[in-house]
Amino acid sequence: MLREIRPAIVLLLLLTAITGLAYPLAMTGIAGAIFPAMAQGSLIEKDGKVVGSALIGQEFKEDKYFHGRPSATLAPDPNDSTKTVSAPYNAANSGGSNLGPTSKALADRLKDDVDQLKAENPNTAVPVDLVTTSASGLDPDISPEAAQFQVPRVAKARNVSEDQLRQLVASNTQGRTLGLLGEPKVNVLALNLALDRATTK
């Protein structure tokens, strides 16, 4: 019986060493050598201090900043561990809201968000990504249209010209990957950091 079991045990140990140790270590080493910034989390620094990642969104509430997409991520309620509370861009709990198109809660939230944005910029159609959450709840990017929609509010809050901010948005717009994949996008954190640099006197 030992003769039949020994090959299975040896194969298990061998495959564990290859797939559980050698392969992950090799891929980590290769990624670190070829894509060092991405392998370290695509961290963004300001004045030598890490302020976020290009891969994970952040919540900006002040009028003087561009806002990202709504986030539906949750966290345990500190007052009642059996419940959850809203925790935008909670990287420890990535996920969407799972609310369907017939959900009254979703319809009410969308209506409130659209009304608020229309009050902010009544002459422009509200871009869909400013009122819809992403599947991960961590999307760091918005469409160029969503960024341009927010220009009047940010310009007013910072007392700068809208043309200056529109140029800033255009210069921070990334095209399609390889010119083919995805849609043009604007990283909200990178845009807000560029905004601070451009408008700080």
Side-chain angles (χ1 to χ4, degrees), residues 66 147-148 150-152 154-156 158-173 191 193-201:
F66 289 89
Q148 295 288 359
Q150 300 179 66
V151 163
V154 177
K156 181 179 178 184
R158 290 193 179 244
N159 196 27
V160 296
S161 75
E162 291 187 17
D163 286 342
Q164 179 184 353
L165 293 188
R166 292 191 191 286
Q167 290 172 5
L168 188 68
V169 169
S171 66
N172 281 275
T173 298
L191 176 60
L193 290 173
L195 176 64
D196 279 343
R197 288 191 300 270
T199 58
T200 300
K201 297 179 181 178

Side-chain angles (χ1 to χ4, degrees), residues 95-194:
S97 69
N98 295 325
L99 298 177
T102 60
S103 167
K104 184 176 184 327
L106 176 61
D108 291 343
R109 184 192 63 77
L110 288 174
K111 182 181 182 309
D112 291 344
D113 287 355
V114 168
D115 289 346
Q116 182 179 346
L117 290 166
K118 280 187 176 178
E120 175 185 308
N121 191 349
N123 299 321
T124 307
V126 176
V128 69
D129 56 322
L130 285 182
V131 294
T132 56
T133 62
S134 67
S136 70
L138 307 177
D139 196 344
D141 305 315
I142 56 176
S143 66
E145 294 78 19
Q148 295 288 359
F149 178 89
Q150 300 179 66
V151 163
R153 169 181 48 79
V154 177
K156 181 179 178 184
R158 290 193 179 244
N159 196 27
V160 296
S161 75
E162 291 187 17
D163 286 342
Q164 179 184 353
L165 293 188
R166 292 191 191 286
Q167 290 172 5
L168 188 68
V169 169
S171 66
N172 281 275
T173 298
Q174 303 167 25
R176 292 179 169 88
T177 304
L178 302 176
L180 299 169
L181 305 174
E183 294 295 326
K185 60 190 176 186
V186 179
N187 185 281
V188 178
L189 176 57
L191 176 60
N192 283 332
L193 290 173

Side-chain angles (χ1 to χ4, degrees), residues 2 16 32 38-39 57 69 80-82 91 105 112 159 165 189 195:
L2 185 59
T16 299
M38 292 179 192
R69 295 182 71 168
D80 184 351
S81 62
T82 64
D112 291 344
N159 196 27
L165 293 188
L189 176 57
L195 176 64

